[in-house]
Amino acid sequence: MFALNITEMSPGKIPQYRQLYETLRRHIVDGLYRENDLLPSENELCKLHNLTRPTVRKALDLLSNEGFIKRHQGLGSVVHKLPKGIGILSISGTTTAIGKENLETRTIIKPSLTSWPDSFPFSLSDHEKEVGCMHFSRLRLVNGKPVIYDISYIPNINLPRFSARNLDNKSLFNILRSAYRIEVKGGEQYIKAINAPDPDICRILDIKPDTPVLHLQRRIDTNRLNFYLYSILYCNTSDHSLYGIF
Amino acid sequence: MFALNITEMSPGKIPQYRQLYETLRRHIVDGLYRENDLLPSENELCKLHNLTRPTVRKALDLLSNEGFIKRHQGLGSVVHKLPKGIGILSISGTTTAIGKENLETRTIIKPSLTSWPDSFPFSLSDHEKEVGCMHFSRLRLVNGKPVIYDISYIPNINLPRFSARNLDNKSLFNILRSAYRIEVKGGEQYIKAINAPDPDICRILDIKPDTPVLHLQRRIDTNRLNFYLYSILYCNTSDHSLYGIF
DNA sequence: TATTTGTACTTGTAATTACAAGTTGGAAAT
DNA sequence: ATTTCCAACTTGTAATTACAAGTACAAATA
């Protein structure tokens, strides 16, 4: 009761429900809880972490929304089987969803300042058009094989030294958060199946021409008003399905 | 304060936060609120509907999670642009852009009792294997053109007269809810891009062989413990992308 | 005029209390 | 031995209160 933890003092503190969520999530993905195990009941979690039920329930809501647990009235919160695919369909990120498999990220196009592409799948504001964008692309490999080619466009607000950063094997989101205080909140995406569109992408993904690939167009929300990240992805799903909950 | 509405009396009542969610959602898709409009503030909604802030916030949480609004601290809840694609990636997706008039559902394989397919993408419990399954398939058309072919498998619990039901132009979920009190809660899905796998499906979707299609494998949760619906979908995304938020 | 400050809003987080509703398992009755 | 019932859990819904933090705008200040 009288002990203040670090987060209660610091200005950029993480909410308590968020901390509990992270803790439980880590316990689940680390295998501390296994499939069909019951989590401690809400009241037990309250006592364990010195929180109240609404706060605990907010953490469990997050876990439930992301498919880590399933709650049953009268029974408890049941741990869900961990997904086998790539969890790119939800915000949690590629890195966590791949699991223990070897994930690698390589920069293909280094960050540079350009104007927006002629044909862009999302409508841009006048301000976005005016300032142009930071453009770069990365390739994600699972066990050494190319799986996702991610082409990114970020409106050119002031991001000092961004083009000098090494994006290999790092999460873009983490860099944005730690270096620029930009928090990624979610977004919208359009998905279709296409044949690999051009020889460049075939070469990058190491696939034959006319192999079917998933095509994703995403607009990603941030904590800054009217500041979005844009991303176009090509996924070779022959070995790895994309996984999502709904 | 003293007026009891219908839901407070009835046994199968709908929670108040759910009712408010439905109301606001309808207002948004009907165009009462337009893109970038501000919803009434939480306190205003409290007064308007005689609710308290936690209840109102639960309704807004739902809208936010489903991408209908975006909330900004200090500003308010901003109505999001309605999606252009087919909102099949989430459980309560909209097909607003297409419009109800232009949506049609045809039964291709009529419901019948069979055993499970030899190769099934999800692992089945002993009980599920034992009872076999109800099997049927439907085709969704937009403006008369086939877009989604949906092959469904439902474990054969006692569903009286199910095979006699007409699934055309009706929501399977509505039938399950009203006739059998089975509520659909969400689920998990695996997505990949493939070439149209066999002549039957090419014919049904009216596409040429080797056209790339989206392949979805879904397991759908219900309010009954250990009772899942299974669905395999083939989507021709050449004219309509699938839409989702994350 | 340009800048700063403050105020009145907005949503975000959190504790507290109360009861409803579903599940489980053991005690009591048959 | 079997069934019924109840008590003790579980999660679900809801009201209430309080303060923190972000935004917008107008007033005061430089």
Side-chain angles (χ1 to χ4, degrees):
Chain A
M1 276 303 187
F2 301 101
L4 294 178
N5 61 35
I6 182 73
T7 63
E8 288 178 83
M9 305 183 285
S10 59
K13 71 175 173 185
I14 300 169
Q16 304 189 81
Y17 74 89
R18 186 92 203 161
Q19 294 181 47
L20 177 56
Y21 157 78
E22 304 276 4
T23 301
L24 294 173
R25 184 186 200 275
R26 196 169 50 245
H27 288 172
I28 292 172
V29 302
D30 287 353
L32 213 88
Y33 299 113
R34 276 171 301 189
E35 186 184 351
N36 293 328
D37 278 0
L38 278 175
L39 285 190
S41 78
E42 296 177 357
N43 284 321
E44 282 171 339
L45 288 172
C46 290
K47 285 171 197 158
L48 282 169
H49 298 88
N50 270 302
L51 300 171
T52 56
R53 237 187 111 209
T55 307
V56 166
R57 281 182 65 78
K58 264 193 101 165
L60 295 178
D61 282 346
L62 282 179
L63 289 170
S64 179
N65 283 335
E66 293 176 3
F68 289 104
I69 63 171
K70 213 179 135 184
R71 295 155 100 187
H72 296 282
Q73 190 172 359
L75 178 61
S77 295
V78 181
V79 174
H80 195 282
K81 170 174 90 293
L82 284 175
K84 297 205 191 328
I86 300 175
I88 199 180
L89 293 176
S90 48
I91 189 61
S92 42
T94 330
T95 322
T96 47
I98 284 274
K100 303 178 181 80
E101 296 194 78
N102 185 19
L103 180 70
E104 190 189 341
T105 306
R106 288 186 201 149
T107 303
I108 304 295
I109 300 176
K110 289 185 184 166
S112 71
L113 221 62
T114 67
S115 55
W116 297 90
D118 288 335
S119 84
F120 199 68
F122 296 94
S123 63
L124 297 166
S125 71
D126 291 340
H127 178 258
E128 283 174 322
K129 283 179 195 161
E130 203 172 295
V131 297
C133 69
M134 185 75 64
H135 172 251
F136 55 94
S137 76
R138 292 164 301 158
L139 181 66
R140 309 273 169 89
L141 304 95
V142 177
N143 297 324
K145 297 180 78 173
V147 173
I148 300 175
Y149 183 49
D150 184 338
I151 307 168
S152 298
Y153 302 90
I154 303 182
N156 176 37
I157 58 167
N158 191 27
L159 299 178
R161 299 197 309 121
F162 184 86
S163 47
R165 290 188 179 273
N166 181 1
L167 298 171
D168 288 8
N169 293 317
K170 281 175 200 159
S171 164
L172 170 63
F173 295 170
N174 284 339
I175 293 175
L176 287 172
R177 185 177 63 243
S178 56
Y180 307 105
R181 295 181 178 277
I182 293 174
E183 305 263 358
V184 166
K185 295 171 96 174
E188 60 181 273
Q189 59 191 350
Y190 292 89
I191 306 183
K192 52 170 51 183
I194 61 170
N195 282 322
D198 63 66
D200 281 347
I201 289 175
C202 285
R203 182 175 43 75
I204 290 168
L205 283 175
D206 191 24
I207 53 179
K208 280 180 284 204
D210 294 332
T211 304
V213 294
L214 268 190
H215 179 57
L216 284 83
Q217 300 168 325
R218 340 178 89 181
R219 192 183 75 165
I220 302 163
D221 299 331
T222 69
N223 58 341
R224 295 203 191 176
L225 258 169
N226 301 316
F227 180 69
Y228 304 101
L229 318 177
Y230 299 93
S231 196
I232 297 180
L233 292 87
Y234 298 92
C235 307
N236 175 10
T237 53
S238 55
D239 290 333
H240 299 87
S241 289
L242 301 194
Y243 170 84
I245 65 120
F246 60 94
Chain B
M1 278 301 188
F2 300 101
L4 293 179
N5 60 35
I6 183 73
T7 62
E8 288 179 81
M9 308 183 282
S10 58
K13 70 174 174 185
I14 299 169
Q16 305 188 80
Y17 74 88
R18 186 91 204 160
Q19 294 181 46
L20 176 57
Y21 156 78
E22 305 276 4
T23 301
L24 293 173
R25 184 187 200 275
R26 196 169 51 245
H27 287 172
I28 292 172
V29 302
D30 287 353
L32 214 89
Y33 298 112
R34 277 172 299 189
E35 185 185 350
N36 292 327
D37 278 359
L38 278 176
L39 284 190
S41 77
E42 296 177 357
N43 283 322
E44 282 171 340
L45 288 172
C46 291
K47 286 173 197 159
L48 282 170
H49 298 88
N50 270 301
L51 300 171
T52 56
R53 234 185 114 210
T55 308
V56 167
R57 281 182 65 79
K58 265 193 101 166
L60 296 178
D61 282 345
L62 282 180
L63 289 170
S64 177
N65 284 336
E66 294 173 4
F68 289 104
I69 62 171
K70 212 179 136 186
R71 294 155 98 187
H72 296 282
Q73 191 172 357
L75 178 61
S77 295
V78 181
V79 175
H80 195 285
K81 168 173 89 298
L82 285 174
K84 297 206 189 326
I86 299 176
I88 199 179
L89 292 176
S90 52
I91 189 63
S92 64
T94 43
T95 46
T96 328
I98 296 159
K100 222 181 242 175
E101 327 76 61
N102 306 321
L103 249 174
E104 189 189 344
T105 305
R106 287 186 202 151
T107 302
I108 303 295
I109 300 175
K110 289 185 184 167
S112 72
L113 221 61
T114 67
S115 56
W116 296 89
D118 289 335
S119 85
F120 198 70
F122 296 94
S123 62
L124 296 165
S125 71
D126 291 341
H127 179 258
E128 283 174 322
K129 283 178 196 160
E130 204 174 293
V131 297
C133 68
M134 184 76 63
H135 172 250
F136 55 94
S137 76
R138 291 164 300 160
L139 181 66
R140 309 270 168 90
L141 304 95
V142 177
N143 296 323
K145 297 180 79 174
V147 172
I148 300 175
Y149 183 49
D150 183 338
I151 308 168
S152 298
Y153 302 89
I154 303 182
N156 177 36
I157 59 167
N158 190 27
L159 301 178
R161 299 197 310 121
F162 184 85
S163 49
R165 290 189 180 272
N166 181 3
L167 298 171
D168 289 8
N169 290 318
K170 281 175 200 162
S171 165
L172 169 64
F173 296 168
N174 284 339
I175 293 175
L176 288 171
R177 186 177 63 243
S178 55
Y180 307 106
R181 295 181 176 279
I182 294 174
E183 305 262 359
V184 167
K185 295 171 96 174
E188 59 181 271
Q189 59 192 347
Y190 293 90
I191 306 183
K192 53 168 53 181
I194 60 170
N195 282 321
D198 63 66
D200 281 347
I201 288 174
C202 286
R203 182 175 42 77
I204 290 168
L205 283 176
D206 190 25
I207 53 179
K208 281 180 282 204
D210 295 333
T211 303
V213 293
L214 268 190
H215 178 57
L216 283 83
Q217 301 168 324
R218 344 177 88 180
R219 192 183 75 166
I220 302 163
D221 300 332
T222 69
N223 58 340
R224 294 203 192 177
L225 260 171
N226 301 316
F227 180 69
Y228 305 100
L229 317 177
Y230 299 94
S231 196
I232 297 180
L233 292 86
Y234 298 93
C235 307
N236 174 11
T237 52
S238 56
D239 289 334
H240 300 89
S241 290
L242 300 194
Y243 171 83
I245 65 118
F246 59 95

